[in-house]
Amino acid sequence: MMLSEIILLKEGTDSSQGIPQLVSNISACQVIAEAVRTTLGPRGMDKLIVDGRGKATISNDGATILKLLDVVHPAAKTLVDIAKSQDAEVGDGTTSVTLLAAEFLKQVKPYVEEGLHPQIIIRAFRTATQLVWAVLINLILPLCPREQRKLLEKCAMTALSSKLISQQKAFFAKMVVDAVMMLDDLLQLKMIGIKKVQGGALEDSQLVAGVAFKKTFSYAGFEMQPKKYHNPKIALLNVELELKAEKDNAEIRVHTVEDYQAIVDAEWNILYDKLEKIHHSGAKVVLSKLPIGDVATQYFADRDMFCAGRVSEEDLKRTMMACGGSIQTSVNALSADVLGRCQVFEETQIGGERYNFFTGCPKAKTCTFILRGGAEQFMEETERSLHDAIMIVRRAIKNDSVVAGGGAIEMELSKYLRDYSRTIPGKQQLLIGAYAKALEIIPRQLCDNAGFDATNILNKLRARHAQGGTWYGVDINNEDIADNFEAFVWEPAMVRINALTAASEAACLIVSVDETIKNPRSTVDAPPAAGRGRGRGRPH
């Protein structure tokens, strides 16, 4: 008796399974790694990416590049996700994590093609990750509290050495550490503002211990206001200070001119009442998230007060964190305790822009970078570079332990796993050996990107690590190997732990997929277009 064919999936569904689709997924991940491979390390190259709207971005940050690539392959998207998670968690090491995951997959590809069961590979990788974790915990070196600042600057310089601004890394590393040290115990990233002003040299960039934001849109009368105050009181408002156009479809019938005039006067009185309350509160600087109209601007100018409307919410909150006080939604309770204070308020010209500075703040738990530079893309890449360095310094303060970079820690872990694999029998031996070999991709790629002979330098590194040189890694400056701990090439241990764990998890995830089913784009079942009414509609 013949069984009739059972159609389970919609027509046009693409289903692939077995070893060929697994190999295809691994190949897709290797293509992703190829996209960011050359950006690793101090001699890494940059990528120029143009999006659909024609906006050009120049970057060598792995997470930024992968976000802009708009990847559609479902397995390759996993690598994009781990790069994003690395960026969110520790801020740096996004290229490393992508390369490691792709290299783990590349090393197990021959075993997959020979028919080795994916669960055996996954078990071996999880064992290797646990072993690596245990070794790393023993290797990491705690930061000395007395020299914390100097050590944090070294970590920031290591993070910046692979960026576009590596020539100015000493200048920026000091600024980054200053900025993070100003924050409170929570070390909130959004309390560090970064403003970009075109023009000037990179060294003209400055760190403001307080808040600085660009002058907002202003009306006539603004230029009559004073631009500098000492010890002013600051009112932070979320109140509209202008005559409102009636939003409701209300209809008022008036029979005499006096009635109409009374309505107009009432509107003006409401506005003047608000302005008087602000003036009597003693505030000299008035900031509002909502517009401040021309009448209010002139009113404040006549009374030697400064005002700025349409201040962004982020800047208003940072001003509150720096100067104290609180944001008010009404002007009826402007007492002394809700007003902020700072030593100096000043409006200053920077390049072609005017900026409002609040400095000498008593409760300053916030700061602002003002970046200078030529091209817009260059300044955006500088901002991304500083973001990575800030994240690294925050991570080093929270988890006060470091390891040597430059491929040193990967070579040491590779040596340990290779030695361990020789002590166990069975397939696990080959797979843990493959994991160990995959770890060498970091120093190998650092050499390739700098134009060195990778085979020669890796042979030297293997020999030195076998003799007990734990912290020996690639010396980019002298085309040789060096003790990177002595050379102050440091990074927080958390970066490496996170990168290895995330890369291993991503590799296990991709290996564990045994079937990919792609549904066709739905055309038949699409809901009818709204608003057509009766009739035949447009022909398809």
Side-chain angles (χ1 to χ4, degrees), residues 10 14 57 64 82 88 93 118 124 157 166-167 190 218 220 243-244 264 282 307 339 379 412 478 498 540:
K10 194 184 292 180
D14 177 23
T57 305
T64 305
I82 59 165
M157 283 166 75
S166 56
Q167 298 301 310
K190 63 174 184 261
S218 56
L243 292 169
K244 289 184 188 171
V264 173
C307 69
L339 297 176
M379 282 162 62
E412 183 62 22
N478 303 313
N498 215 66
H540 289 291

Side-chain angles (χ1 to χ4, degrees), residues 133-199:
W133 180 280
V135 176
L136 253 173
I137 295 300
N138 291 329
L139 283 176
I140 58 180
L141 297 157
L143 290 172
C144 171
R146 279 175 307 175
E147 297 186 359
Q148 187 191 35
R149 188 190 166 80
K150 199 193 300 180
L151 305 179
L152 290 175
E153 280 183 24
K154 297 281 191 292
C155 286
M157 283 166 75
T158 304
L160 291 170
S161 63
S162 64
K163 306 295 181 190
L164 212 56
I165 52 172
S166 56
Q167 298 301 310
Q168 286 89 4
K169 63 183 181 182
F171 171 72
F172 279 112
K174 185 176 180 301
M175 278 170 72
V176 165
V177 175
D178 284 342
V180 178
M181 290 294 206
M182 284 179 201
L183 302 182
D184 57 10
D185 294 340
L186 290 173
L187 299 178
Q188 289 173 292
L189 191 63
K190 63 174 184 261
M191 286 297 118
I192 299 178
I194 299 180
K195 306 292 179 186
K196 304 184 286 287
V197 186
Q198 269 186 291

Side-chain angles (χ1 to χ4, degrees), residues 195 208 210-214 315 318 355-358 368 370:
K195 306 292 179 186
V208 180
V211 182
F213 55 81
K214 195 168 152 186
D315 288 331
R318 285 187 28 252
Y355 270 73
N356 299 328
F357 282 78
F358 296 84
T368 309
I370 294 181

Side-chain angles (χ1 to χ4, degrees), residues 12 79 204 413 526:
L79 291 201
D204 294 339
L413 296 172

Side-chain angles (χ1 to χ4, degrees), residues 411-412 414-415 418-419 422 440 454-473 480-481:
M411 287 305 294
E412 183 62 22
S414 177
K415 183 207 86 168
R418 199 176 273 115
D419 293 347
R422 296 192 186 110
E440 291 182 353
T455 310
N456 179 27
I457 286 182
L458 253 71
N459 284 339
K460 283 185 183 177
L461 279 174
R462 285 191 201 106
R464 183 52 68 102
H465 278 266
Q467 293 161 10
T470 307
W471 298 120
Y472 270 79
D480 200 4
I481 64 172

